[in-house]
Amino acid sequence: MTTRPTLAAVAAHAGVSPSTASLVFSDSPRVTPATRARVLTAAAALGYAGPDPLAASLRRGRSGVIGAFVGERLLYAFRDPVAVQLLDGIAEVLGPHGVGLLMLAGESGRPSTDQIGRIPLDAAIFATCGLEDDPALDLLRARGVPVVGVEGPVADGVVLIDIDDRGGTRELAQHLHDVGHRRVEMVAMPLRLDGTRGPIGAARRARAIYRDVRHRMEGLEDVFGAVPMFETASNVVPEGVTAGRALLDVPAHRRPTAVLAQSDVLAAGVLEAAQQLGLRVPEDVSVAGFDGADLHWLGATVLTTVVQPTDEKGRRAAQAAMALVAGEPAPDVILPVTLRIGTTSGPPPRPSS
């Protein structure tokens, strides 16, 4: 097995002390040009590329890495345009600082708790939409790793970068109410990542572990009171199709006149289900979402939705993490959301005579 050349070997080859060779590789002005050239020539001859970055980071007390915890498997995260936009905002800030971004997936793709306890991280960003019982959180806090939560978790010492999920959903629900809808149902994102799919009962709702899911439920209920809700197993278009068919493939007198999905991705699935069933949007059923995602495949269709500043949310999370790493304070932030009325919502259909 080939042995990696050491700094001590380079120093010996160049005829200088290890400390002098170290100064060369740290670009110290205390080394003369002639000595610098001699050390670099020796390094080239031995195939020495420079100090081990991990060892250097340990000496500095920093790893140069910030971890981003996502709620689902990376397969799903990279199919979700909102998750991608959030991560892009984080990377946009970290890149110029020379800081690496380590993504840590949810479900079976995440390292074990023992591994998380040992991964060298300068800070952690929980991009898990308010997941509130993540065991990684306690491990990192016990290690003294600074933590930023995107929409949660809410805990002592965790900087919160949040949006008004409940208020935004309430405004969207009020729009549907104002144009005449009274029979409204919701397609919800997963309450827990356990593969459950179907109508949400009281016992299941009590086990919801995501703040954004709960708050969007509450926003709809602020306007309409208790309404039927259907949980999806994952935040992907096919799950929206399945939920849409479950809600819409019923006799007209039982069909909701409006479906409010907790994400634009799920709303796109509901639109597809309506098309499969021969229903017109919004003449037969109105469909609305949440996020303001770039769903280019919808073409001329403009989804009625609540637009959140996802990229700014990512940037603010990264800025807070960098501040914490530098030992500076980072305040909690609540970013505004806005209602966008598109072509997928309108008055409810008139009852058949």
Side-chain angles (χ1 to χ4, degrees), residues 56-77:
S57 69
L58 292 175
R59 287 193 298 272
R60 293 193 307 269
R62 294 184 186 176
S63 66
V65 175
I66 287 179
F69 289 77
V70 298
E72 298 193 74
R73 293 171 54 198
L74 295 184
L75 170 66
Y76 296 126

Side-chain angles (χ1 to χ4, degrees), residues 15-257:
V16 300
S17 67
S19 61
T20 298
S22 177
L23 290 174
V24 170
F25 285 100
S26 64
D27 290 326
S28 171
R30 295 162 53 193
V31 181
T32 66
T35 300
R36 183 183 305 277
R38 195 161 74 249
V39 170
L40 294 178
T41 299
L46 297 177
Y48 180 75
D52 181 354
L54 178 57
S57 69
L58 292 175
R59 287 193 298 272
R60 293 193 307 269
R62 294 184 186 176
S63 66
V65 175
I66 287 179
F69 289 77
V70 298
E72 298 193 74
R73 293 171 54 198
L74 295 184
L75 170 66
Y76 296 126
F78 283 112
R79 291 168 64 185
D80 182 350
V82 175
V84 172
Q85 192 177 3
L86 177 69
L87 292 169
D88 187 62
I90 293 172
E92 181 183 332
V93 171
L94 299 185
H97 291 279
V99 174
L101 179 63
L102 175 63
M103 289 187 60
L104 297 151
E107 294 186 318
S108 58
R110 180 173 292 184
S112 68
T113 53
D114 180 62
Q115 290 172 316
I116 290 173
R118 293 184 285 105
I119 292 174
L121 297 175
D122 291 339
I125 298 173
F126 278 74
T128 52
C129 298
L131 177 62
E132 293 183 325
D133 68 349
D134 195 326
L137 176 64
D138 292 334
L139 283 170
L140 294 170
R141 293 171 69 201
R143 287 176 49 194
V145 176
V147 176
V148 177
V150 178
E151 297 194 59
V154 177
D156 290 342
V158 176
V159 176
L160 181 64
I161 309 298
D162 208 358
I163 61 170
D164 188 2
D165 287 289
R166 183 170 182 169
T169 306
R170 183 191 307 118
E171 187 177 1
L172 176 55
Q174 190 63 54
H175 157 67
L176 295 173
H177 187 278
D178 290 347
V179 298
H181 292 279
R182 297 297 181 270
R183 206 159 66 241
V184 177
E185 299 190 25
M186 171 169 271
V187 174
M189 295 183 291
L191 278 66
R192 304 183 74 91
L193 288 179
D194 57 8
T196 296
R197 179 190 299 111
I200 300 172
R204 177 67 179 177
R205 179 163 176 171
R207 300 186 67 231
I209 57 175
Y210 291 98
R211 289 179 72 247
D212 61 342
V213 172
R214 292 203 313 273
H215 289 175
R216 293 177 195 184
M217 288 177 170
E218 292 162 355
L220 179 60
E221 292 171 334
D222 286 343
V223 177
F224 287 99
V227 299
M229 298 185 184
F230 188 100
E231 179 182 5
T232 56
S234 183
N235 186 34
V236 292
V237 173
E239 285 289 330
V241 175
T242 299
R245 292 191 67 98
L247 301 187
L248 301 176
D249 194 9
V250 296
H253 70 279
R254 290 173 42 208
R255 183 187 306 139
T257 62

Side-chain angles (χ1 to χ4, degrees), residues 249-305:
D249 194 9
V250 296
H253 70 279
R254 290 173 42 208
R255 183 187 306 139
T257 62
V259 176
L260 196 161
Q262 287 195 348
S263 76
D264 289 350
V265 169
L266 293 176
V270 176
L271 290 174
E272 185 174 332
Q275 183 180 37
Q276 293 173 1
L277 295 169
L279 298 174
R280 300 167 301 163
V281 176
E283 292 84 0
D284 298 320
V285 60
S286 290
V287 178
F290 195 111
D291 287 327
D294 179 15
L295 305 183
H296 55 85
W297 64 84
L298 293 183
T301 300
V302 180
L303 183 67
T304 293
T305 188

Side-chain angles (χ1 to χ4, degrees), residues 326-337:
E328 301 170 357
D332 292 346
V333 174
I334 299 181
L335 297 170
V337 296

